[in-house]
Amino acid sequence: MSQNKALRVVLATSNAGKVRELADPLTQFGVEVVGLSSYPEIGEIEENGTTFEENALIKARAVAAVTGLVSVADDSGLEVDALDNAPGVYSARYADDWESQPGESRDARNIRKLLHETASVPTEGRGCRFVSCMAAVRPDGKEMVVRGTWEGQLLATPRGDNGFGYDPIVYLPEYGKTSAELDPEEKNRISHRGKALRRIREVL
Ligand code: IMP
């Protein structure tokens, strides 16, 4: 993919948290970012892969095929050592089998379930990592996928209001903060998604 200031890329995600973290860095790089909302005909894409890489490619391929544009998709999640790397690829839907409390968001319910499942895990066993696999697919079928990871410690109590998903319970020892206590630019510089995005950007 050659350097091209007018390159248009469709972001194959409707997750508002991810759109925020992906659109700005790509735009700063001179890429024109188009959202999925411009293509309502695409609808829900079934993520039936068993790895982050497979799911990222499924999403990016589907969107590139319909739009005829370069498509970038991220499949990401949280791996918890004490749970044999669950919730992993099921991070977004982890607590869909739990009843919501009144006014509770999907992210908050996921956190509640994860804290319940790890309640008896001691501090030294609470290692975890965010994983982001990012795929870029061109309409001519050329594709690539990269992986970024970010190591942390699972807290027992949420802290911070920034970010999305599991950010309030993932503590980054080298920053003395949770991911939800970092400001968005700082998170992008050091996160799993930021790392994967920089690798994908090199080839765009
Ligand atoms: P996906 O849309 O299937 O890739 O789901 C990703 C899910 O993983 C999100 O809904 C979050 O629950 C979680 N996740 C991924 N990246 C992050 C992050 O940067 N912070 C917090 N949670 C994340």
Side-chain angles (χ1 to χ4, degrees):
M1 296 179 202
S2 63
Q3 279 205 338
N4 178 354
K5 284 220 154 60
L7 180 68
R8 297 180 87 196
V9 166
V10 194
L11 280 187
T13 180
S14 42
N15 178 320
K18 285 191 192 177
V19 171
R20 273 197 305 274
E21 292 182 13
L22 294 173
D24 278 1
L26 283 171
T27 306
Q28 283 163 18
F29 191 61
V31 167
E32 186 192 341
V33 177
V34 186
L36 264 193
S37 54
S38 311
Y39 300 93
E41 67 274 25
I42 293 177
E44 186 92 359
I45 301 165
E46 202 192 340
E47 295 174 33
N48 50 14
T50 55
T51 63
F52 293 112
E53 279 86 354
E54 276 173 18
N55 279 337
L57 280 168
I58 287 170
K59 289 184 268 193
R61 281 178 190 144
V63 171
V66 173
T67 61
L69 295 173
V70 178
S71 162
V72 169
D74 151 288
D75 196 66
S76 50
L78 182 69
E79 294 182 343
V80 175
D81 292 344
L83 301 178
D84 290 332
N85 287 344
V89 290
Y90 304 105
S91 293
R93 36 198 156 137
Y94 180 53
D96 281 4
D97 57 342
W98 276 37
E99 207 162 304
S100 268
Q101 291 176 346
E104 188 181 43
S105 66
R106 199 183 192 198
D107 283 347
R109 189 178 49 178
N110 282 338
I111 286 179
R112 185 161 58 87
K113 178 174 177 183
L114 189 54
L115 293 184
H116 174 84
E117 300 296 338
T118 54
S120 61
V121 179
T123 312
E124 62 275 17
R126 299 182 73 87
C128 63
R129 78 205 47 77
F130 281 123
V131 179
S132 163
C133 286
M134 207 166 287
V137 173
R138 290 200 319 201
D140 67 5
K142 185 154 192 207
E143 52 189 42
M144 73 163 308
V145 60
V146 297
R147 174 179 277 237
T149 59
W150 198 25
E151 299 288 331
Q153 288 280 321
L154 206 60
L155 290 187
T157 314
R159 277 172 38 183
D161 301 313
N162 296 334
F164 68 101
Y166 299 93
D167 280 334
I169 53 168
V170 176
Y171 179 73
L172 295 322
E174 69 270 42
Y175 297 93
K177 291 177 178 176
T178 67
S179 177
E181 291 174 319
L182 295 174
D183 66 50
E185 292 77 30
E186 202 174 11
K187 182 181 173 194
N188 256 337
R189 259 200 317 278
I190 56 180
S191 76
H192 53 316
R193 189 164 298 102
K195 288 174 191 159
L197 187 63
R198 280 189 289 282
R199 283 179 203 142
I200 278 286
R201 245 175 21 177
E202 283 165 21
V203 295
L204 278 179

